[in-house]
Amino acid sequence: MSLLRLAWRNVLRQRRRTTLLSLVVIYVTVAVLFLFGFLDGYGESLVEAYAEYVEAPVVVAREVWWQDPDPENGFRELPAVAHPLVQAATPRLSLYALLRSPYRMQGGVVLGVDPQGEKVLSRVPFRVGEGRWLQGPGEVVLGHRLAERLDVRVGERLVVETGKEALGLLVVGLVRAGVGNVDFGGVYLHLEDAQRLSGREIVATHLALKVPRGKEEGVAKALNQALPEGLRARGVWELMGPIRADYEASRLFYVPLLSLFMLLAAIAVVSTTYVSVRERLREFAVAESLGLSPFRLAAQVALEAALASGLGLLLGLLLGYALLWYTSTHDVFGPLMRLSVELLPESGLSEHLYTALRPVYALYAAMVVGLSALLALLFPGRLVLALEPTRYLKGE
């Protein structure tokens, strides 16, 4: 009889014990799948928010502007950017300004854009919930929560002052993007108006580039090797700022935590296997006297631990992927994210978060099976290797 059949028979003989072990592994497997799916979904949500709404997939600017985002450090003429993966490019001019409505005033960052170029690169023009997107100079589009704070509506005028120039702009649209930075702080006006407000011969502060998803960092790195001295490209991950550090800290925290979960599950499997082996030492002695080597018997013990944890893994994968599928297609975390956006409106968080669903999570969770087999070979297996068959056969 093969080792696998022997091990499987012993797993079935102790069904209550196997069930308890499987429950532990099911719990850990579901936790591993869900937390990895949640973390990856959170990261994808951040990338989408910054690449499609807040910033751009890749941004090119002068080194001095990255260090000091004053308009005087912007471009006096647009640089030529060439890379086969760059699908579109549009100039932007950002500057700090005072926003004054007839009733209230507030400071903020206004973004001068090319209305048509922005439609190719950003989703903001398509998230105008009231009114319309920019068509020409003399107009401004606001985030709807910012408009509420300023107590200004579509069709009214908003004064934008920079200390050098001031313009009275007509509010033509309110954006409902579902991204904190845009809804609470978005101020979009025509590039020509932004150039007038800067009071300098600045055509743009930076160049926003559209590149395929997942290629942002590679394109930025390649551009940095080809751009003239004094210019630098940054990918979307580098543009996130402090929220990126928060995300990476979360991964650094959860990955060791999940590793600890898996180790504890493996220890639970092995401790139960250890008790089982001690109860069956006479059975192992008989098997060894019939010709099975101690190493084959130790391997059988490891196989039993792997099979018991493998059953839990399979059930855990079914439950875990069902949970991930549901949370990746339904906005379960919407209320939590909307509260987070209210508390941290400038963090770039989106009001929607969907978990990621990737096959590789099964590989991560399967580590508990390998760990259980290894520990079973090292500890309960050693009992079998040190077994003295004659002693147990005599009933001592």
Side-chain angles (χ1 to χ4, degrees):
M1 186 178 290
S2 68
L3 282 183
L4 180 61
R5 292 179 61 187
L6 281 172
W8 180 248
R9 188 191 66 178
N10 287 324
V11 167
L12 293 181
R13 277 171 54 194
Q14 304 174 48
R15 295 187 178 183
R16 182 176 299 178
R17 191 172 290 168
T18 301
T19 301
L20 291 175
L21 291 179
S22 297
L23 287 175
V24 173
V25 178
I26 288 171
Y27 170 74
V28 171
T29 302
V30 172
V32 168
L33 262 62
F34 178 74
L35 285 178
F36 272 111
F38 182 84
L39 283 173
D40 285 342
Y42 179 54
E44 290 176 0
S45 171
L46 288 175
V47 169
E48 180 179 347
Y50 273 83
E52 306 286 347
Y53 295 93
V54 181
E55 297 281 356
V58 176
V59 171
V60 175
R62 297 177 66 201
E63 283 277 7
V64 290
W65 186 80
W66 288 119
Q67 297 166 10
D68 178 11
D70 189 299
E72 70 178 8
N73 295 325
F75 297 125
R76 279 158 176 81
E77 61 179 33
L78 293 178
V81 176
H83 190 282
L85 292 181
V86 174
Q87 300 168 329
T90 186
R92 292 174 175 172
L93 198 161
S94 69
L95 65 166
Y96 289 93
L98 182 66
L99 312 173
R100 190 193 299 274
S101 76
Y103 313 102
R104 298 176 186 171
M105 61 181 179
Q106 178 177 326
V109 178
V110 303
L111 189 65
V113 298
D114 170 14
Q116 296 305 315
E118 207 65 20
K119 285 184 176 180
V120 178
L121 192 133
S122 171
R123 292 189 188 178
V124 172
F126 305 101
R127 293 292 186 269
V128 177
E130 182 180 350
R132 60 170 173 78
W133 179 238
L134 296 171
Q135 290 183 348
E139 300 175 343
V140 63
V141 171
L142 302 173
H144 74 104
R145 298 299 296 270
L146 176 61
E148 291 174 4
R149 290 180 175 180
L150 291 169
D151 197 9
V152 64
R153 285 162 281 278
V154 173
E156 297 180 347
R157 287 200 168 271
L158 180 75
V159 176
V160 181
E161 301 177 19
T162 61
K164 294 183 179 296
E165 296 287 344
L167 289 175
L169 304 175
L170 180 66
V171 179
V172 297
L174 303 181
V175 178
R176 296 178 183 273
V179 176
N181 294 36
V182 176
D183 289 346
F184 284 85
V187 183
Y188 304 91
L189 45 86
H190 197 279
L191 188 60
E192 293 179 11
D193 288 333
Q195 291 167 350
R196 290 178 58 189
L197 286 169
S198 72
R200 304 178 180 88
E201 297 178 354
I202 299 297
V203 296
T205 52
H206 56 284
L207 200 58
L209 309 180
K210 182 179 182 179
V211 302
R213 186 74 171 269
K215 304 293 184 182
E216 298 92 345
E217 306 309 310
V219 171
K221 185 176 180 181
L223 287 174
N224 284 329
Q225 295 176 348
L227 286 171
E229 187 177 357
L231 297 184
R232 185 181 174 192
R234 289 187 177 183
V236 63
W237 278 101
E238 199 174 356
L239 296 169
M240 288 183 186
I243 196 67
R244 176 190 176 186
D246 175 72
Y247 171 72
E248 292 178 341
S250 297
R251 289 196 74 90
L252 287 177
F253 175 74
Y254 281 112
V255 170
L257 184 65
L258 290 175
S259 301
L260 180 61
F261 277 2
M262 287 192 282
L263 178 62
L264 292 176
I267 290 175
V269 172
V270 171
S271 60
T272 306
T273 306
Y274 187 88
V275 174
S276 172
V277 169
R278 287 198 66 87
E279 292 174 350
R280 295 157 50 208
L281 284 178
R282 183 179 176 81
E283 177 184 321
F284 284 114
V286 172
E288 189 172 335
S289 67
L290 292 176
L292 281 177
S293 70
F295 292 103
R296 285 176 62 84
L297 291 173
Q300 179 187 324
V301 170
L303 204 51
E304 288 178 17
L307 288 173
S309 54
L311 283 174
L313 175 70
L314 289 177
L315 293 173
L317 290 178
L318 287 175
L319 290 175
Y321 274 112
L323 178 63
L324 282 183
W325 173 81
Y326 186 80
T327 52
S328 67
T329 55
H330 295 73
D331 191 19
V332 176
F333 303 104
L336 174 65
M337 294 307 296
R338 282 190 281 278
L339 178 61
S340 300
V341 169
E342 290 281 349
L343 296 174
L344 301 168
E346 297 180 355
S347 61
L349 293 176
S350 171
E351 291 182 353
H352 308 286
L353 191 155
Y354 299 93
T355 57
L357 186 65
R358 297 175 183 169
V360 72
Y361 301 152
L363 186 61
Y364 300 153
M367 291 174 65
V368 71
V369 176
L371 197 57
S372 299
L374 178 62
L375 293 178
L377 191 61
L378 291 177
F379 297 102
R382 292 179 62 186
L383 284 178
V384 178
L385 291 174
L387 186 66
E388 297 178 15
T390 53
R391 176 184 167 191
Y392 284 93
L393 290 175
K394 290 178 180 178
E396 295 179 1

